Amino acid sequence: MFVQQLINGLALGSIYALIALGYTLVYGILLMVNFAHSEIFMLGAFFALGALSLSWVSGLPAFMQLLLALLLAMFASAVTGALIERVAYKPLRHASRLAPLISAIGVSIFLQNLVFLFVTNQSVPFPRIVPLWHLELGNSQISSLQILVIAVSFLLMGFLRFFIQKTSLGKAMRATAGDRMMAEFSGIPTERIISLAFLIGGALGGAAALLNGMYYGSIKYNMGFLVGIKAFTAAVLGGIGNVTGAVLGGLLIGILESLGAGYIPGGSEWKDIFSFAVLILVLLVRPEGLLGERVSEKV
Amino acid sequence: MNIKSRAILISLSFAGFLVSCSPQEEVYRLALAVPLTGDIAAMGLGMKRGADLAVEEVNKQGRFGRVIELKAFDDRADPKEAVNVANQIVSDNNIAAVIGHFNSGCSIPAAQVYARKDLLMITPGATNPKLTLQQLEPAWKWNKVIFRVNTTDDVQGQFSANFLFKKFKLKSVAIVHDKTPYGQGLAEEFKKQFETNGGTVLSFDGISVGDKDFKALITRIKTRRPQALFFGGIYNEGGLLIRQARELGLNSAFLSGDALQTNEFLKLAGESAEGSYITNVGVPPEKIPSAQAFLEKFKAKYPGVDIQPYDHYSYEATMIALLALEKAGITQGSKDFNRLKMIEFMKALRYDGVLGQTEFDEKGDTKNKAITVYKVQSGKFIPQDF
């Protein structure tokens, strides 16, 4: 059962990790928590469903459907993320740090109610797209969906890592995160880099949304809330602002939840408590998170 | 004039305005308090359709000198909101009775608000026995205003346990519930009876409403190899639970209660729903001769709309409330109605309607204790014999 719970947790954690990246990228550069990110994730799921119900998409073979839905959901979520930044955060760039945070909460409430009122207030079934089969691993089994969720997540996270570490744009992003003013002086268009962070974060959120929809088979206007909190916790656990930390935090929380609910009697009732309890414990010992760097307060 | 006395004057004149205004409205109001938005809005909206149908019918008959108005309140399936809504309802003197609430967790606290004002409450769907039982407690200082047209969880839970045990000879079960008064209540009644019958309950676990991932729990349940899985809860979690159970290869029989008997469950669970057994209180409307007319009226008024499991209950509750208002509440020549007489009337009522015959026992529960079990076959709920 241990391996089985590990597999369950890994799939769950991959989704958390993808979303956590969106939080951490934005925080790394702007030092703000983008509370609207959970709603970008939720919208991403509806975008993906919309893409799948397009008549020219639904006729294609499963693999093409998946690819198109993934690209469309990532694109639409990326644009939404950048749009939110432009409308709700950019005008507040020089306001106090609290202002964009409150603006983010406002955007989150707005988007949730938008879908609630104008799309649907019910759970909507989400197609599985790929056929379901199981791979036996000793006593455990891994389903095709779990393989897909884990594979796509790790692929995207690999891309992101490559992008940040090896490309010049990625270098510019790191520079902006390190010291925005200095980056600006050395000719980096920091405003565009900020937009880029929102674009990438949104795209990863959109991908997570599609995977989440396929994995659980239903989506709803409030689906972002709990997942968003968990992903944010993951980002903080790993050290907010740190990309590898977000992935590590996401996977850890997913696995902890599965093991907690799987092994502790009555554990499923207290499932949500495990991740937050671990967060508190880690923060007590390492306030900067697992991989976070200790930085002095910026002036 | 100082500020204080001015404030008093303003509030007095405002109060005077309220008093002089309200009795002149030429309507009798019924309040419908159900979840119209949120997770289980599908059920609430269905109940509103049922109640609307009843009110429309009575208005056409013109049995009252005035127009009957149904005022719908949304409790969002949230107990706190339900109490807010209840306070709004009792503040309107033209409201003669309340149809609601749907969730047991909402009905239990809201009932206390109505009882303080002797306002008749008929629930068309709350199944937790505590709702009416609380009226027998010494702390209940008010009149017994709560009536219930549907059967309760103790009956339903016992039925489910006997069904599994006697019909299929299943001896071991894993139980999952959603920690709400409805879900946990039903699960506990089921557990009690299943153990009384000599069966083994392998596990009894709670999940959170709104959670989506039950795979860890299912993996653990699977290692215990239960012959059956029982779920006490609502269709959102129920649909996800059975879907994930089947994905993880847990192939035990699946049994659950009335809150899953809706097309929303079938949509969410997809093919995993096939073969599930769902119990519901009462007899399906298709099998009651007196309900045929209701079904036809429903189809005529709402073409293409699926009937939800409690629509005919809210129709019946509305009809009964209006009957109480007509026969006992109204005094000729007076514009007001007598709330106490309405409650008295309910105690002696014997009513033949779409649910068959309805009479209330000393707690206010219906004496009609029928339960039906359905099997999901090719995406439909098929009533089973037991």
Side-chain angles (χ1 to χ4, degrees):
Chain A
M1 183 167 92
F2 181 76
V3 179
Q4 185 68 61
Q5 296 293 21
L6 223 53
I7 294 169
N8 294 340
L10 206 60
L12 183 63
S14 310
I15 293 174
Y16 288 157
L18 274 183
I19 307 168
L21 283 170
Y23 283 104
T24 229
L25 281 174
V26 168
Y27 187 91
I29 290 178
L30 280 182
L31 296 184
M32 75 160 273
V33 180
N34 179 12
F35 276 117
H37 189 57
S38 54
E39 264 44 71
I40 298 175
F41 165 75
M42 179 272 293
L43 284 176
F46 281 91
F47 289 139
L49 188 65
L52 285 168
S53 52
L54 292 175
S55 56
W56 60 275
V57 176
S58 51
L60 295 169
F63 172 73
M64 286 301 291
Q65 277 190 43
L66 183 65
L67 196 70
L68 272 171
L70 185 67
L71 291 177
L72 280 169
M74 286 178 74
F75 176 75
S77 307
V79 172
T80 313
L83 213 64
I84 290 173
E85 193 271 330
R86 187 58 58 88
V87 175
Y89 308 147
K90 198 174 177 187
L92 300 170
R93 193 79 83 223
H94 301 291
S96 83
R97 270 182 72 181
L98 213 54
L101 201 73
I102 292 167
S103 180
I105 295 172
V107 170
S108 167
I109 296 172
F110 172 76
L111 291 176
Q112 231 183 75
N113 284 282
L114 197 71
V115 174
F116 179 95
L117 289 172
F118 296 109
V119 184
T120 175
N121 56 18
Q122 288 295 303
S123 292
V124 192
F126 198 96
R128 195 180 273 149
I129 310 178
V130 295
L132 183 70
W133 41 260
H134 294 93
L135 202 65
E136 301 288 332
L137 304 166
N139 276 333
S140 317
Q141 51 180 7
I142 182 163
S143 75
S144 51
L145 280 176
Q146 289 174 322
I147 296 176
L148 184 81
V149 168
I150 297 170
V152 173
S153 306
F154 276 84
L155 204 68
L156 288 173
M157 292 188 276
F159 277 149
L160 180 70
R161 197 179 163 76
F162 174 80
F163 175 80
I164 288 178
Q165 298 297 337
K166 304 285 176 194
T167 64
S168 58
L169 261 180
K171 203 174 194 177
M173 252 179 118
R174 278 183 287 144
T176 312
D179 189 332
R180 191 152 107 226
M181 201 182 280
M182 202 57 223
E184 184 84 55
F185 287 155
S186 29
I188 295 171
T190 52
E191 280 299 326
R192 286 201 195 167
I193 295 295
I194 292 171
S195 290
L196 186 67
F198 277 89
L199 277 172
I200 297 176
L204 294 176
L210 172 77
L211 296 174
N212 184 287
M214 289 171 64
Y215 193 45
Y216 295 117
S218 71
I219 61 175
K220 203 164 69 177
Y221 72 94
N222 64 359
M223 64 187 279
F225 178 72
L226 197 62
V227 179
I229 287 185
K230 298 272 180 64
F232 175 61
T233 309
V236 176
L237 181 66
I240 192 152
N242 185 308
V243 172
T244 321
V247 175
L248 184 70
L251 295 177
L252 260 178
I253 285 192
I255 291 171
L256 274 172
E257 271 187 9
S258 284
L259 292 181
Y263 278 101
I264 300 175
S268 60
E269 283 180 52
W270 310 107
K271 204 173 104 177
D272 298 341
I273 292 174
F274 301 128
S275 31
F276 299 122
V278 169
L279 175 73
I280 291 170
L281 286 178
V282 169
L283 290 188
L284 279 176
V285 184
R286 272 186 73 89
E288 65 276 18
L290 290 173
L291 299 183
E293 289 157 34
R294 205 178 286 254
V295 281
S296 53
E297 193 66 33
K298 286 189 183 175
V299 185
Chain B
M1 188 187 281
N2 63 26
I3 292 175
K4 201 172 175 186
S5 59
R6 187 184 293 177
I8 291 170
L9 196 74
I10 290 172
S11 52
L12 274 180
S13 57
F14 186 63
F17 171 75
L18 280 178
V19 168
S20 62
C21 174
S22 55
Q24 284 170 8
E25 282 181 82
E26 292 295 303
V27 293
Y28 289 120
R29 277 202 195 106
L30 287 186
L32 175 78
V34 290
L36 296 171
T37 59
D39 287 355
I40 55 166
M43 297 270 195
L45 291 169
M47 280 185 274
K48 182 167 183 303
R49 285 191 278 269
D52 275 337
L53 203 60
V55 167
E56 185 181 294
E57 208 176 311
V58 170
N59 274 333
K60 261 190 211 151
Q61 293 165 348
R63 271 154 52 189
F64 296 87
R66 301 184 193 177
V67 174
I68 304 292
E69 189 185 279
L70 183 76
K71 197 167 177 193
F73 293 83
D74 179 12
D75 68 18
R76 303 204 297 247
D78 175 358
K80 291 192 288 295
E81 191 60 25
V83 173
N84 284 342
V85 160
N87 280 311
Q88 279 175 37
I89 290 172
V90 294
S91 67
D92 181 346
N93 282 326
N94 275 20
I95 290 180
V98 185
I99 313 301
H101 295 227
F102 174 57
N103 303 72
S104 298
C106 292
S107 308
I108 293 168
Q112 298 170 11
V113 179
Y114 304 129
R116 286 192 183 101
K117 301 276 175 167
D118 294 321
L119 187 61
L120 170 65
M121 161 181 172
I122 308 179
T123 176
T127 47
N128 192 311
K130 200 186 153 201
L131 171 62
T132 47
L133 271 177
Q134 64 179 342
Q135 299 180 112
L136 304 182
E137 284 167 15
W140 190 269
K141 296 183 215 65
W142 313 285
N143 283 309
K144 291 182 196 167
V145 300
I146 313 166
F147 293 86
R148 159 153 58 194
V149 292
N150 56 283
T151 320
T152 45
D153 290 336
D154 44 350
V155 182
Q156 189 178 187
Q158 283 165 19
F159 177 94
S160 306
N162 292 337
F163 175 72
L164 276 191
F165 200 83
K166 292 183 179 148
K167 175 137 187 189
F168 295 120
K169 314 258 181 295
L170 297 185
K171 301 250 158 52
S172 69
V173 66
I175 301 176
V176 179
H177 64 83
D178 69 356
K179 295 191 280 185
T180 63
Y182 161 70
Q184 188 165 358
L186 181 63
E188 276 166 2
E189 297 292 348
F190 172 84
K191 179 172 185 259
K192 223 188 287 171
Q193 184 65 27
F194 199 76
E195 284 174 340
T196 310
N197 286 348
T200 318
V201 174
L202 297 172
S203 62
F204 190 80
D205 291 285
I207 54 161
S208 305
V209 173
D211 199 356
K212 292 188 99 170
D213 192 289
F214 310 121
K215 297 197 176 182
L217 174 64
I218 293 164
T219 301
R220 174 154 56 88
I221 288 175
K222 200 182 152 197
T223 60
R224 310 291 309 270
R225 300 181 189 284
Q227 290 172 316
L229 175 65
F230 182 85
F231 176 65
I234 292 170
Y235 59 82
N236 282 312
E237 287 75 33
L240 284 165
L241 182 78
I242 187 60
R243 192 186 162 105
Q244 292 173 23
R246 297 300 184 237
E247 270 176 27
L248 288 171
L250 177 69
N251 293 318
S252 324
F254 179 65
L255 185 73
S256 187
D258 52 295
L260 263 63
Q261 204 219 352
T262 156
N263 277 344
E264 299 295 324
F265 166 68
L266 300 178
K267 273 194 240 161
L268 293 179
E271 64 211 39
S272 312
E274 286 299 307
S276 305
Y277 289 96
I278 311 289
T279 55
N280 202 346
V281 294
V283 175
E286 293 80 10
K287 288 203 169 173
I288 311 173
S290 55
Q292 295 308 318
F294 166 77
L295 288 176
E296 275 157 31
K297 275 179 263 174
F298 189 93
K299 274 183 201 136
K301 176 141 197 234
Y302 309 106
V305 177
D306 289 327
I307 188 159
Q308 300 286 340
Y310 284 97
D311 299 6
H312 52 303
Y313 284 89
S314 78
Y315 176 87
E316 190 88 322
T318 310
M319 281 300 193
I320 291 177
L322 286 172
L323 190 69
L325 177 65
E326 184 189 11
K327 299 283 185 217
I330 308 174
T331 19
Q332 284 302 321
S334 163
K335 287 187 190 298
D336 296 319
F337 43 80
N338 190 326
R339 291 178 172 182
L340 287 173
K341 276 192 184 163
M342 285 174 72
I343 298 165
E344 280 309 312
F345 174 83
M346 291 292 289
K347 287 178 185 161
L349 175 81
R350 178 178 289 185
Y351 182 80
D352 283 300
V354 295
L355 302 178
Q357 194 174 67
T358 301
E359 274 180 276
F360 298 103
D361 63 13
E362 71 290 349
K363 297 195 299 294
D365 286 341
T366 180
K367 290 181 182 169
N368 181 351
K369 306 257 185 226
I371 302 275
T372 310
V373 59
Y374 299 82
K375 185 178 186 184
V376 179
Q377 280 171 326
S378 340
K380 284 200 169 60
F381 294 99
I382 313 290
Q384 303 288 303
D385 295 323
F386 173 53

